[in-house]
Amino acid sequence: MDVGILALQGAVEPHARSLTRLGARPVEVRTPADLDGVGALVLPGGESTTISMLLERQGLFDPLVERLEAGMPALGTCAGMILLAAEVLDGRADQRCAGAIDLVVRRNAFGRQVDSFETDLDIGAFTESGLDPTPFHAVFIRAPVVDSTGPAVEVLASVDGAPVLCRQGCVIVSSFHPELGDDLRIHQLLINEVT
Ligand code: GLN
């Protein structure tokens, strides 16, 4: 299975390692033609303002929105969560969101308290998916905070009442970085949407 990783900017390689370990073939996506060839897409962490600008420059933003509207499974982590959301607060004026999940997110909002932190998350969806139900060790780096969620959004994990892992249909977003470390369970949730 070919799983794309948006490779315009940000942490591409660790996602490629996780996908390979799950038996998928990671494909770097930089152009509309690259996007045509993949069955699912990971939008990695990085800088959402830069990735948004590069998506426009590559003529990739509108094709991405079309694929998402047509039901392509996607996993967005950190900056990727911002790009998949419906609306971003504290973004740059020209920054775009794909609107694939009905969330309003605020950039760098955890970062006001502390730039980075780690915590263990209880994720009930692991049990439903037949995965190991033990807590997931999550790393947050200048992470976005979910300000509000629409009715179609499932909140799969929270920190201090703030959603940090959400799903709407086959679109999954995390404000943390599941590609850091050896735990493949969040990527497995994406793969489960494809197979
Ligand atoms: N603060 C970044 C942004 O707004 C996200 C940080 C990250 O992806 N680690 O895009």
Side-chain angles (χ1 to χ4, degrees):
M1 176 201 316
D2 284 354
V3 177
I5 307 173
L6 186 62
L8 299 175
Q9 189 259 344
V12 174
E13 191 48 41
H15 281 291
R17 268 200 303 276
S18 297
L19 292 170
T20 303
R21 287 178 57 205
L22 287 169
R25 196 165 77 97
V27 175
E28 296 193 358
V29 169
R30 295 191 185 81
T31 66
D34 295 337
L35 183 64
D36 282 345
V38 300
L41 185 69
V42 175
L43 293 89
E47 181 48 59
S48 60
T49 53
T50 305
I51 298 173
S52 170
M53 185 258 291
L54 294 172
L55 277 166
E56 297 273 28
R57 187 181 291 173
Q58 294 291 101
L60 196 49
F61 216 120
D62 291 329
L64 171 63
V65 170
E66 279 165 30
R67 282 298 306 276
L68 292 164
E69 282 174 353
M72 175 179 67
L75 168 66
T77 63
C78 205
M81 171 196 243
I82 298 170
L83 287 158
L84 287 173
E87 189 183 341
V88 58
L89 306 175
D90 294 341
R92 227 175 49 185
D94 60 351
Q95 170 167 16
R96 259 182 91 183
C97 291
I101 182 164
D102 194 6
L103 297 178
V104 179
V105 298
R106 190 176 292 279
R107 285 181 65 226
N108 301 334
F110 277 122
R112 290 209 189 95
Q113 299 140 18
V114 56
D115 264 349
S116 302
F117 66 97
E118 303 185 14
T119 191
D120 289 331
L121 302 174
D122 282 318
I123 301 175
F126 287 158
T127 314
E128 291 154 30
S129 304
L131 298 170
D132 171 8
T134 55
F136 188 95
H137 188 73
V139 179
F140 294 76
I141 304 167
R142 292 182 61 72
V145 164
V146 173
D147 223 66
S148 63
T149 58
V153 175
E154 278 176 275
V155 176
L156 305 182
S158 301
V159 172
D160 297 336
V164 295
L165 178 67
C166 297
R167 181 166 63 190
Q168 180 176 328
C170 54
V171 173
I172 302 162
V173 295
S174 68
S175 46
F176 55 92
H177 287 267
E179 74 283 11
L180 302 177
D182 287 338
D183 198 329
L184 303 173
R185 288 177 289 171
I186 304 285
H187 291 82
Q188 184 67 60
L189 291 179
L190 174 69
I191 300 292
N192 289 353
E193 297 294 339
V194 192
T195 49

